[in-house]
Amino acid sequence: MGGWNAADIPDQTGRTHVVTGATSGLGAATARALAGAGATVIMACRNEIKAQAVAKTIDGTVQVRALDLADLASIRRFADSVEGADVLVNNAGVMAVPKSHTADGFELQIGTNFLGHFALTALLLDRIADRVVNVSSVTHHIGRIDLDDLNWERRAYSRFGAYAQSKLALLQFTTELQRRLLAAGSRKLAVAAHPGYAATDINSKTENLLESLINLGNRLIAQSSAAGALHSVYAATAAVEPGGYYGPSEWFGWSGPPGRVGTSGAARDEKTMRLLWKLAEELTGIDFPVS
């Protein structure tokens, strides 16, 4: 692949990265790339046994710690265990699964993909030295934030609609976090990335008839997990613009080397993102340390 690649990752010796969902797919590939560049990587994973097995395959310094983003109590315990880090990569997620709920009663996709990472970032921000990276998706373009029914209690449930909403929420969160950091005079960065079309486990756990089609696409046209993770690694280590969004620069955003990419108009809706921020604080019960 031309352009920026794994050989261009800046030396990460002496730096610590927290990567959520590092058990498989993009998260494991992200952890592997960062550890290979010299970083200490904290693998924040729900399944510790599986994570330990993955950690043994990674050359470099890695630590496995328990984190269930669908449980605010687990998020608090994990945050209490982290003394400090340079970068937080909010990578973990669930995609287009049947309707279910987190331990705190949130719809699973908005609860895991957005509210869990919102809470984690809020609890860790004062100990993050450099930047926060939120991993979104090209599906944010079809997302819609329903502030009156964020948890799909009144709407007819749509698996992909819920997924797209959660990934759009992550982009709005990124923009609003960067605005607040700048207003507070902080030099910390909030950036986002997306992997394009990458073959990962998340694409094959939709539990519906579309799964067979996704699996076929994974075999025929998808990038590898390592190629997809490169965009998160770029956002975590390269010289990036505050609030920037990075992903594949070729094939309509499906593949190619990392580059600055565009967002939907909804991702730039300032009124909605500020109301979403307030709602997220109310739902999680966590006040963010930047106002």
Side-chain angles (χ1 to χ4, degrees):
M1 182 174 65
W4 200 91
N5 57 51
D8 298 312
I9 302 173
D11 183 13
Q12 298 298 296
T13 301
R15 290 168 64 81
T16 299
H17 294 248
V18 176
V19 181
T20 69
T23 304
S24 63
L26 296 172
T30 299
R32 182 170 285 106
L34 292 170
T40 294
V41 179
I42 298 175
M43 300 170 61
C45 305
R46 184 171 56 87
N47 188 329
E48 287 186 88
I49 296 175
K50 187 176 180 180
Q52 290 287 2
V54 173
K56 291 178 181 178
T57 71
I58 296 176
D59 292 329
T61 304
V62 295
Q63 304 171 13
V64 173
R65 299 189 193 176
L67 170 64
D68 185 351
L69 285 159
D71 185 342
L72 289 173
S74 174
I75 294 170
R76 289 184 180 277
R77 286 193 297 271
F78 173 81
D80 288 343
S81 78
V82 178
E83 294 183 0
D86 295 279
V87 180
L88 168 62
V89 182
N90 287 324
N91 163 83
V94 291
M95 175 183 173
V97 293
K99 187 177 182 180
S100 56
H101 297 86
T102 70
D104 304 283
F106 308 136
E107 185 274 319
L108 184 62
Q109 297 190 78
I110 197 70
T112 302
N113 300 354
F114 168 58
L115 291 172
H117 282 129
F118 180 93
L120 177 64
T121 305
L123 293 170
L124 282 182
L125 189 62
D126 63 345
R127 281 162 282 160
I128 299 298
D130 184 7
R131 68 187 75 177
V132 174
V133 178
N134 292 321
V135 181
S136 184
S137 165
V138 292
T139 60
H140 88 271
H141 285 278
I142 62 171
R144 183 175 72 88
I145 303 293
D146 189 332
L147 294 168
D148 295 322
D149 192 22
L150 195 69
N151 284 299
W152 297 83
E153 296 168 332
R154 293 183 292 277
R155 290 177 286 171
Y157 187 66
S158 165
R159 301 179 188 201
F160 282 96
Y163 179 70
Q165 177 185 245
S166 71
K167 291 302 184 176
L168 173 58
L170 272 176
L171 276 182
Q172 290 197 349
F173 170 43
T174 303
T175 301
E176 181 64 8
L177 176 57
Q178 183 62 70
R179 185 187 71 81
R180 291 174 181 241
L181 288 170
L182 288 173
S186 173
R187 300 184 66 178
K188 298 178 185 179
L189 299 177
V191 295
H194 79 83
Y197 187 5
T200 69
D201 287 348
I202 194 173
N203 288 340
S204 60
K205 295 182 178 179
T206 59
E207 299 182 30
N208 61 20
L209 294 176
L210 187 60
E211 186 170 318
S212 60
L213 181 61
I214 291 174
N215 287 336
L216 178 63
N218 283 349
R219 292 194 299 270
L220 296 179
I221 61 176
Q223 305 175 91
S224 67
S225 294
L230 190 61
H231 310 287
S232 299
V233 175
Y234 180 89
T237 63
V240 295
E241 296 182 29
Y245 184 38
Y246 297 88
S249 56
E250 298 173 357
W251 290 99
F252 307 100
W254 280 25
S255 64
R260 184 76 184 267
V261 295
T263 64
S264 68
R268 301 188 296 274
D269 184 338
E270 294 185 4
K271 179 180 179 181
T272 299
M273 69 179 65
R274 294 177 188 184
L275 291 172
L276 178 64
W277 182 287
K278 181 179 179 181
L279 179 59
E281 287 187 318
E282 292 172 354
L283 290 172
T284 62
I286 297 173
D287 293 328
F288 227 92
V290 288
S291 61

